[in-house]
Amino acid sequence: MRYLRNDITDPYYNMALDEYALERLAIDTPLFYLWQNHRAVIIGANQSACTEVDLDYLRGHGITLARRVTGGGAVYHDLGNLNYTIVGRNADLNRDYPEYASHILRALQALGVEATLSGRNDILVGGRKVSGYAKRVYKDRLMVHGTLMYDVDLATLEGVLSPRPEKLVSKGIASVRSRVTNLRGHLPQVNGIAHFKECLERHLSANYTDAEYLLTDADRHAIKELAQHKFATPEWIYGRRISSAACFAVPSTPPHTIRRTARLHCGTVEATLAIVEGHIATCLFGGDFIGNSPIISLESALCGVRYERCALRQRLVAIHLTDYLDGVDTDSLLDLLCPMP
């Protein structure tokens, strides 16, 4: 794959680079880049910062909070963590996670690490997580990005992340820290994270026989503008999206609010519905779930539907749900939205 070099450690710039690379970068073959952030917590596109992160801890320790454009859960970054992004066309890259993960998996295995794929989006070493990844599709392009914990401060990681207890229970673990590990102890021949980055870059670029991709000055300027005016704004970081699915004509009658949460194949999905005169007036999905496309399109499709199982099923079967909720079928989502009495 072609490679792009990015030494900037500002989380807002790097979140902007990912979106820019997916939606606007002029590429005709897949490319990758490896990158780092200074101390930051990065939450998923559909998560609530207040429920996923200890905000007081972040403020007290000078740790940046950022939101990415992909789904999944909150992750902690510091300079002991190496991130990767792969971008390409649908024709060149399989949408399934194993296709993406295999690039990183083979690179780790080539370095002697006994890494395996696990669950919906994890890479494990010795039964513990060293990498999590997420993806997004835009028109005929797609992107996957993920973490590689080389020498992350695990005490700080546990201090900033506050997942729901049921998430830990579902994985049979007592804490975040007991679930993860660093790669450093599995790579005795690697001399620090800079050397680790070089080793991965060499492997993924076929020892630099694939061409380097260079950003133009216009690219860099556009990425900085996107970082400043979108990814660094409180509206993007903290805002709970107001669904544009509020397209159904809502009278002055106060809505009846329904909130339900379930652990589905794609992750934790929280559904909030406002029901007016028996119809869905607004719909909002949140959680750490993963999928190819922004969830707002699914929310919009459910707006105006009569709130009953038959009507919901009729609407859901016409929607390709796995575009929004990886691996979720009609019955699973229907049971969340409108369970049988």
Side-chain angles (χ1 to χ4, degrees):
M1 288 185 290
R2 296 188 67 180
Y3 63 97
L4 184 156
R5 286 189 166 134
N6 172 33
D7 296 324
I8 295 175
T9 60
D10 172 41
Y12 303 133
Y13 179 93
N14 287 327
M15 297 303 100
L17 173 58
D18 276 352
E19 179 172 281
Y20 186 87
L22 173 65
E23 297 185 4
R24 298 169 59 184
L25 208 59
I27 58 173
D28 53 10
T29 59
L31 69 82
F32 76 92
Y33 47 94
L34 306 174
W35 49 281
Q36 293 171 273
N37 281 331
H38 63 65
R39 296 198 308 164
V41 170
I42 316 297
I43 59 175
N46 306 300
Q47 289 190 295
S48 165
C50 297
T51 60
E52 296 293 335
V53 180
D54 187 335
L55 296 175
D56 290 334
Y57 189 101
L58 263 65
R59 297 186 187 104
H61 291 78
I63 298 171
T64 300
L65 179 64
R67 184 187 295 274
R68 62 182 183 270
V69 297
T70 57
V75 292
Y76 172 66
H77 290 183
D78 62 20
L79 294 179
N81 185 77
L82 184 64
N83 305 291
Y84 62 88
T85 298
I86 302 171
V87 182
R89 301 176 302 179
N90 281 334
D92 300 317
L93 293 170
N94 192 303
R95 287 193 183 195
D96 292 335
Y97 277 121
E99 174 72 17
Y100 284 110
S102 65
H103 293 289
I104 303 301
L105 195 68
R106 287 195 296 268
L108 292 175
Q109 292 169 345
L111 291 172
V113 179
E114 295 182 4
T116 59
L117 297 180
S118 175
R120 60 193 175 111
N121 62 334
D122 293 343
I123 295 176
L124 305 185
V125 174
R128 293 188 176 187
K129 181 176 178 176
V130 297
S131 173
Y133 46 96
K135 60 179 176 176
R136 183 176 173 190
V137 170
Y138 178 78
K139 296 182 179 179
D140 67 338
R141 305 269 286 272
L142 72 164
M143 170 191 75
V144 65
H145 57 187
T147 58
L148 286 166
M149 296 174 56
Y150 176 77
D151 192 17
V152 174
D153 181 344
L154 298 181
T156 301
L157 178 149
E158 188 168 34
V160 297
L161 300 181
S162 53
R164 291 180 175 85
E166 61 265 25
K167 184 172 183 179
L168 298 178
V169 170
S170 72
K171 296 181 180 293
I173 53 178
S175 68
V176 174
R177 190 167 180 175
S178 66
R179 185 191 172 206
V180 301
T181 191
N182 280 314
L183 284 162
R184 181 177 179 179
H186 301 271
L187 291 165
Q189 77 280 25
V190 173
N191 185 24
I193 195 165
H195 186 203
F196 179 48
K197 182 178 181 180
E198 180 188 353
C199 290
L200 286 179
E201 195 172 75
R202 282 185 178 278
H203 180 89
L204 294 170
S205 67
N207 201 28
Y208 298 120
T209 57
D210 296 328
E212 182 177 1
Y213 187 100
L214 299 175
L215 295 176
T216 67
D217 289 341
D219 288 330
R220 293 190 184 90
H221 177 76
I223 295 165
K224 289 177 181 177
E225 288 289 300
L226 188 59
Q228 179 182 351
H229 296 295
K230 177 177 179 178
F231 288 95
T233 64
E235 291 79 12
W236 172 258
I237 298 167
Y238 294 98
R240 292 291 289 151
R241 292 178 300 107
I242 299 175
S243 174
S244 64
C247 54
F248 179 63
V250 179
S252 59
T253 306
H256 171 58
T257 301
I258 295 172
R259 293 186 178 90
R260 293 196 179 93
T261 301
R263 186 81 180 166
L264 303 180
H265 184 274
C266 60
T268 300
V269 181
E270 305 159 348
T272 302
L273 307 175
I275 309 300
V276 174
E277 296 182 354
H279 291 76
I280 299 174
T282 60
C283 173
L284 182 68
F285 289 104
D288 67 358
F289 57 87
I290 54 177
N292 288 326
S293 303
I295 196 67
I296 197 167
S297 296
L298 176 59
E299 294 168 342
S300 180
L302 295 178
C303 181
V305 177
R306 184 161 184 80
Y307 185 65
E308 60 182 18
R309 285 182 68 90
C310 183
L312 275 168
R313 179 183 293 279
Q314 186 175 1
R315 180 61 58 89
L316 290 174
V317 295
I319 298 170
H320 196 242
L321 289 180
T322 56
D323 280 348
Y324 311 103
L325 303 166
D326 240 30
V328 172
D329 58 24
T330 297
D331 288 336
S332 298
L333 186 57
L334 185 61
D335 287 342
L336 168 63
L337 297 174
C338 189
M340 293 283 287

